[in-house]
Amino acid sequence: MSYGIIAGIMFAGMVGLLFTGQRLFLVIGGVAAIATATLWGTGGLDMLAFGSYNVIGWWTLLAIPQFIIMGQLIARSGVGEKLYHALHLWMGRVNGGLAMGTVGLVALISAMSGLSFAATVIAGTVALPSMLKRKYDKSMVVGLIPACGSLGFLIPPSVVLIIYGMIARVSIGHLWIAGIIPGILLAGMYIIYIGIRCRIQPHLGPALPPEMRASWGEKFRALGAGIAPIVLIFLVLGLLFMGVSSLIECAAIGAVGALVITAIERRLTFNLLKTVMDESLKSTVMIMWLFMAALFFSSVFDGLGAARSIENLLRLAPGGDLGIIIAMQLSFFLLGMVMDDTAMLLIVAPLYIPLVAKMGFPLVWYGILYTLNCQMAFVTPPFGWNLFIMKSVVPKDSGITLADIYKSVIPYVGIQAACLGIVIAFPQIALWLPSIIFPSG
Amino acid sequence: MKKALLSYVNAIGWFNERLGKGAGYVIWGLAGLMFYEAICRSAFNAPHLWLPEITQYIFWGYVFLGGGYVFLHEGHIRMDALYSRWSPRRRAIVDVATFSVAAFYLGGLLWKFSYYTAISIMAGERQACGIHTYVGPIKAIMVLGIILVLLEAVAFFIKDVHLAISGKVLE
């Protein structure tokens, strides 16, 4: 039996077992361990220990729990309400202005948090009720929030890009900077879409009536809400990009900064701290155990020469090297319908990255493509994480169903696909900014 | 028999609950140390040689000792496209059926980790850089974490078997 067939059986076994709903890290690790023991005997299982010790040696991983705790704190700190209030005052007079303001709010929150859920939760609990009260049409806004909530993947600090950077062995600073322009582009596309639709159909997002508009004094006072977030963003990202502090130090500054902001907002209680610690432990432990299992799986897969089989399979795609990249994106999109983003990254990325490198494409660019794809995966029905998060935060009495959210998110998925297409066609959108900031490469 | 199994399940759950709650606090120690280092290194140009090793040990203690707690609280993601639609009994039956795969992985981890931990301790392995700390203790903590996850997995297996056979939750 050829190694290609064995690799195929292994992959099929894994996918089959995934559908049983067993815990992901146990399925991946178990299939790989059984394959190792059958193929190479018990000595092959040494990889279990060495693979894990290898992961343990990556110091950069320490940044992950600290960014997680930063996001958890920001989501509960109350800065979201204040920022939204300011955006509300400034944007209220435009048709669809509150929805555009929501995009801005999400982009700002994303720059203060490494995970995407914080922005979705804040926008869903703060912006959504206010928009519904102002007679914004639900078919436009309930899909917008989960869709732009996933901007957090792209806008630094981003935990997804840290994990990608560790697997692909590329600089995380490069990746983060590369994500900025595509992130702004995507946010801009959402805003333009809202603007055009509300111009054609003003009933979707009516402007505030003149008597409810704020005076200039109020508007400027509301801007004070932006001070703390901007200081935090500067301390975390500014110091990193200027080369003053390292990635892990930035994560620590972010975690401590978020703690200080929560205290200033008078939300800091012992119960809040306990919830935050609990959630952070769960996310970190889950990611790390999955990380160890997935890297073990991919090293077994590598040992079988599966990379070549995958390459042969992908070579069937028309259009040469670029065709392969597009075929990879399609496979991400399909997998993303049933898989979680971290799992997808950990299982599939190690298989694709060597091939991408061999074809001579920049791995930083490929990481951005993956991340854009992740955003789509996060909101494509039927299994989009952000859609479920959204459903869990919509007000109970609003009568919004999951079907409403599914229907509403479709145009935004189209926008994300268009943005992905643009970045594939013009790699400079991702690569230009890093080349300016790190001229030596 | 049933009583003995139940007390096993409860005892493991009790221990992992306490340990996990405790491990949760460690994150502040980690963030605090790194924050302190950020100030020392960038403001006073006085980094600490011991810090990378120690923070790394703290982190991996956090990840491994929290393992059983997260398992207990079902924190590990499952691909629940079908799973979430099944009845609790059907879930239990499928989990029992796939337990062997899970046990193979955890068992393999335990075996190889304890083997290389023993070697590391006997040989007095030390870090190659930094302050050359002994690696044995942190490797032993990892083994402990794996044991706790395995024990918790067995506890879940017992609960699932009971539910699958009798249709009732073990209590």
Side-chain angles (χ1 to χ4, degrees):
Chain A
M1 201 160 41
S2 84
Y3 282 131
I5 294 173
I6 297 173
I9 293 173
M10 209 176 131
F11 200 75
M14 182 195 75
V15 172
L17 273 168
L18 282 181
F19 277 98
T20 66
Q22 180 57 271
R23 293 164 191 83
L24 209 51
F25 84 105
L26 291 175
V27 169
I28 299 170
V31 169
I34 291 169
T36 313
T38 357
L39 289 168
W40 301 307
T42 52
L45 287 176
D46 281 357
M47 273 199 286
L48 273 171
F50 293 139
S52 305
Y53 288 147
N54 192 9
V55 176
I56 289 160
W58 293 352
W59 202 44
T60 315
L61 289 173
L62 268 66
I64 292 178
Q66 303 179 69
F67 279 125
I68 289 176
I69 209 151
M70 174 183 176
Q72 291 279 359
L73 281 166
I74 290 291
R76 294 172 171 80
S77 67
V79 286
E81 280 95 333
K82 283 201 172 166
L83 278 175
Y84 185 70
H85 179 68
L87 289 164
H88 181 164
L89 293 182
W90 280 87
M91 304 286 289
R93 51 186 295 271
V94 188
N95 275 333
L98 294 186
M100 296 176 189
T102 305
V103 178
L105 171 73
V106 166
L108 276 174
I109 299 288
S110 299
M112 285 188 281
S113 139
L115 298 169
S116 81
F117 86 97
T120 311
V121 170
I122 290 177
T125 48
V126 179
L128 182 69
S130 140
M131 284 195 282
L132 292 175
K133 208 160 73 192
R134 304 280 182 284
K135 302 277 179 290
Y136 273 59
D137 195 277
K138 68 178 179 186
S139 73
M140 192 177 75
V141 297
V142 291
L144 169 69
I145 290 171
C148 72
S150 56
L151 274 175
F153 286 135
L154 212 50
I155 295 177
S158 155
V159 167
V160 169
L161 283 177
I162 296 181
I163 297 175
Y164 175 86
M166 307 236 52
I167 295 175
R169 296 296 171 126
V170 287
S171 147
I172 290 157
H174 275 65
L175 282 167
W176 279 7
I177 289 180
I180 293 174
I181 293 184
I184 293 172
L185 173 71
L186 187 55
M189 285 166 79
Y190 290 138
I191 289 176
I192 291 169
Y193 167 78
I194 295 164
I196 292 174
R197 261 201 91 178
C198 291
R199 176 142 288 209
I200 302 169
Q201 302 164 286
H203 65 277
L204 289 178
L208 285 181
E211 67 274 11
M212 285 178 69
R213 290 176 193 164
S215 71
W216 286 102
E218 281 179 87
K219 283 184 183 177
F220 280 105
R221 247 169 291 145
L223 282 184
I227 295 172
I230 285 170
V231 170
L232 185 65
I233 292 170
F234 170 77
L235 285 178
V236 175
L237 297 177
L239 293 182
L240 176 73
F241 293 151
M242 290 188 312
V244 175
S245 50
S246 73
L247 183 72
I248 309 172
E249 289 166 2
C250 286
I253 295 170
V256 174
L259 198 64
V260 172
I261 287 185
T262 318
I264 292 174
E265 298 290 329
R266 299 179 185 283
R267 296 280 182 101
L268 194 64
T269 60
F270 188 58
N271 272 336
L272 181 135
L273 281 183
K274 274 209 294 208
T275 322
V276 164
M277 281 187 318
D278 202 55
E279 294 295 323
S280 305
L281 180 71
K282 282 179 186 160
S283 309
T284 310
V285 168
M286 189 270 283
I287 292 175
M288 288 306 143
W289 283 80
L290 190 58
F291 208 156
M292 286 189 287
L295 287 187
F296 173 54
F297 184 91
S298 67
S299 57
V300 176
F301 225 58
D302 256 5
L304 288 169
R308 171 153 302 165
S309 313
I310 288 173
E311 185 180 342
N312 290 338
L313 198 65
L314 286 168
R315 289 251 179 245
L316 298 175
D321 287 355
L322 202 59
I324 293 179
I325 295 282
I326 293 169
M328 286 171 173
Q329 302 307 318
L330 280 176
S331 73
F332 278 142
F333 183 71
L334 294 176
L335 280 171
M337 284 186 172
V338 292
M339 246 189 222
D340 169 71
D341 62 304
T342 321
M344 187 163 85
L345 177 60
L346 290 171
I347 297 170
V348 184
L351 307 178
Y352 283 176
I353 285 168
L355 181 56
V356 175
K358 196 172 127 192
M359 292 190 299
F361 289 109
L363 288 176
V364 169
W365 171 68
Y366 189 72
I368 301 304
L369 296 186
Y370 167 77
T371 316
L372 279 165
N373 223 315
C374 235
Q375 300 194 0
M376 284 204 278
F378 238 52
V379 291
T380 31
F383 305 106
W385 250 138
N386 260 9
L387 301 177
F388 298 140
I389 295 178
M390 184 64 194
K391 180 74 183 76
S392 69
V393 298
V394 291
K396 292 284 173 291
D397 54 358
S398 61
I400 291 170
T401 63
L402 199 55
D404 287 332
I405 301 178
Y406 281 180
K407 229 183 323 183
S408 170
V409 83
I410 290 169
Y412 299 104
V413 175
I415 294 174
Q416 292 172 335
C419 184
L420 178 64
I422 293 173
V423 179
I424 291 180
F426 305 102
Q428 284 310 315
I429 294 173
L431 298 176
W432 176 73
L433 201 54
S435 74
I436 297 291
I437 295 186
F438 306 110
S440 55
Chain B
M1 178 69 182
K2 190 179 157 186
K3 222 173 158 187
L5 289 175
L6 184 62
S7 43
Y8 167 79
V9 170
N10 287 340
I12 297 298
W14 181 88
F15 188 76
N16 273 329
E17 178 75 27
R18 295 295 174 287
L19 188 67
K21 282 268 187 291
Y25 286 89
V26 167
I27 186 69
W28 300 115
L30 185 64
L33 273 178
M34 284 315 305
F35 186 68
Y36 169 68
E37 174 72 354
I39 293 170
C40 287
R41 198 183 63 88
S42 31
F44 301 105
N45 197 19
H48 299 95
L49 200 55
W50 52 267
L51 200 118
E53 280 164 54
I54 302 302
T55 48
Q56 202 169 11
Y57 296 159
I58 293 175
F59 176 58
W60 288 102
Y62 180 70
V63 167
F64 275 78
L65 295 181
Y69 175 81
V70 174
F71 204 101
L72 174 68
H73 287 272
E74 284 286 358
H76 287 290
I77 46 167
R78 302 166 175 267
M79 214 192 78
D80 55 0
L82 303 172
Y83 195 80
S84 58
R85 297 180 194 176
W86 294 338
S87 69
R89 188 168 183 183
R90 182 150 182 201
R91 287 182 203 172
I93 294 171
V94 176
D95 274 351
V96 168
T98 54
F99 178 75
S100 55
V101 178
F104 200 91
Y105 177 61
L106 291 175
L109 270 186
L110 177 60
W111 174 28
K112 291 299 176 185
F113 262 77
S114 21
Y115 179 70
Y116 285 105
T117 302
I119 289 185
S120 165
I121 291 172
M122 283 187 295
E125 183 194 4
R126 287 167 175 243
Q127 281 283 6
C129 50
I131 53 166
H132 308 292
T133 42
Y134 284 104
V135 187
I138 185 66
K139 286 193 173 172
I141 287 177
M142 288 174 184
V143 172
L144 178 65
I146 295 169
I147 291 174
L148 287 171
V149 172
L150 191 59
L151 291 177
E152 194 58 61
V154 171
F156 267 78
F157 179 67
I158 293 170
K159 282 191 274 186
D160 287 337
V161 169
H162 188 270
L163 182 59
I165 293 172
S166 71
K168 280 182 293 223
V169 179
L170 181 70
E171 56 187 3

